Amino acid sequence: MDRDPTLAPRPGKLWLVGAGPGDPDLLTLRAARLLASADIVVHDGLVGDGVLALIPPHVPRISVAKQRSRHTMKQELINELIVREALDGKQVVRLKGGDPFIFGRGGEELDAARDAGVACEVVPGITAAAGCAAQAGLPLTHRDDASAVSFVAGQCKDLSDQDWSGLAGHGRTLVIYMGLATASAIADKLIADGVAPDLPVAVIERGTTADARVLRTLLTDLGDLVAREAVQSPALIVVGKVAARADALDCLGAPGIAEQIKDLT
């Protein structure tokens, strides 16, 4: 039914909604309700098809998918888009993979909304680290193995200059997002910073989806594993003793790895 034109315009609002790691069953109830009632949905490329299927057919959707070194829409333009639609009186759902505030640039979008005077609310989602590790039977913390967890982005520029001291090693778990392209450099950097080359590593590809794959090796073999197994994005890298607990395919099979480890220790 058309809205009575004599009524005051409905105020717009922006919702930053976490879509979870991929499996639509891991979407929160609140997120599902917002998708059903949205006027427009602006979504990331990593949002799974099963989640997108929950959007009613009549609701416009705009993909702002990002890939390494190639963005469909720059972040500044995304900010302008969602603010403009909310100022136009629409209920805008900005649907983001995982959780909006874990490597999702949700903080930047929240700032843009605040600066424009747009009401904004954040709906958390299961971040990829928690969801994918759980599916793999990999506890990110464990009383015997790890009491601290760190999340880092592996595609940072000038990776060798980043200060990762203390992020991996005894009693710690390191979870690396967006690290496939720099996997060899990541392993070299950690080893150079004193992390044992035989520390277990797990790579979780397409976590929580039907075609998920979990591979396990040692840190010194990380870059070679990614290449050998043709691991595709999205994928997470988990470094730490807890990685040995994952329900994973043991891929420490490349010739010469044992000798490499011996030479490095």
Side-chain angles (χ1 to χ4, degrees):
M1 185 171 67
D2 292 336
R3 182 176 175 85
D4 187 340
T6 65
L7 297 177
R10 181 178 61 169
K13 185 170 182 178
L14 172 64
W15 305 82
L16 301 179
V17 178
D23 184 346
D25 286 344
L26 296 178
L27 194 70
T28 65
L29 292 174
R30 191 175 194 194
R33 287 196 294 265
L34 286 170
L35 289 179
S37 62
D39 293 324
I40 185 171
V41 176
V42 180
H43 66 87
D44 286 345
L46 289 179
V47 175
D49 291 340
V51 175
L52 295 178
L54 299 176
I55 304 171
H58 69 276
V59 175
R61 63 182 73 176
I62 299 175
S63 172
V64 291
K66 294 184 177 70
Q67 297 180 12
R68 181 177 174 85
S69 302
R70 182 169 64 86
H71 291 182
T72 300
M73 186 180 294
K74 292 185 179 298
Q75 186 61 49
E76 294 78 8
L77 296 179
I78 296 173
N79 296 349
E80 293 175 8
L81 168 65
I82 57 181
V83 165
R84 182 173 65 247
E85 295 293 338
L87 288 174
D88 195 37
K90 295 177 183 176
Q91 303 299 299
V92 181
V93 168
R94 175 68 174 101
L95 190 61
K96 308 177 76 65
D99 180 88
F101 283 176
I102 303 292
F103 299 122
R105 297 191 177 181
E108 298 175 41
E109 294 171 358
L110 178 60
D111 288 342
R114 287 171 170 168
D115 290 344
V118 170
C120 183
E121 189 167 337
V122 181
V123 179
I126 296 176
T127 189
C132 297
Q135 184 200 43
L138 193 167
L140 294 178
T141 65
H142 191 285
R143 188 164 61 173
D144 293 336
D145 295 335
S147 59
V149 184
S150 298
F151 300 155
V152 301
Q155 63 179 15
C156 297
K157 293 181 180 178
D158 301 320
L159 180 65
S160 60
D161 295 331
Q162 301 296 314
D163 183 8
W164 285 13
S165 59
L167 296 184
H170 181 71
R172 297 180 296 277
T173 302
L174 177 61
V175 182
I176 303 165
Y177 287 66
M178 302 169 286
L180 288 186
T182 54
S184 291
I186 287 169
D188 290 345
K189 173 179 177 53
L190 289 172
I191 292 170
D193 286 348
V195 178
D198 60 350
L199 192 65
V201 172
V203 178
I204 308 174
E205 179 185 50
R206 299 185 297 271
T208 79
T209 67
D211 54 352
R213 187 167 59 146
V214 186
L215 310 172
R216 185 175 62 241
T217 188
L218 301 179
L219 180 59
T220 191
D221 184 45
L222 174 59
D224 289 339
L225 165 70
V226 169
R228 282 197 314 270
E229 298 294 333
V231 181
Q232 300 295 313
S233 180
L236 287 176
I237 300 169
V238 181
V239 181
K241 287 183 67 177
V242 294
R245 298 178 178 273
D247 297 325
L249 177 64
D250 189 347
C251 293
L252 186 63
I257 291 297
E259 288 76 11
Q260 292 177 37
I261 295 172
K262 182 178 179 181
D263 290 342
L264 289 166
T265 54

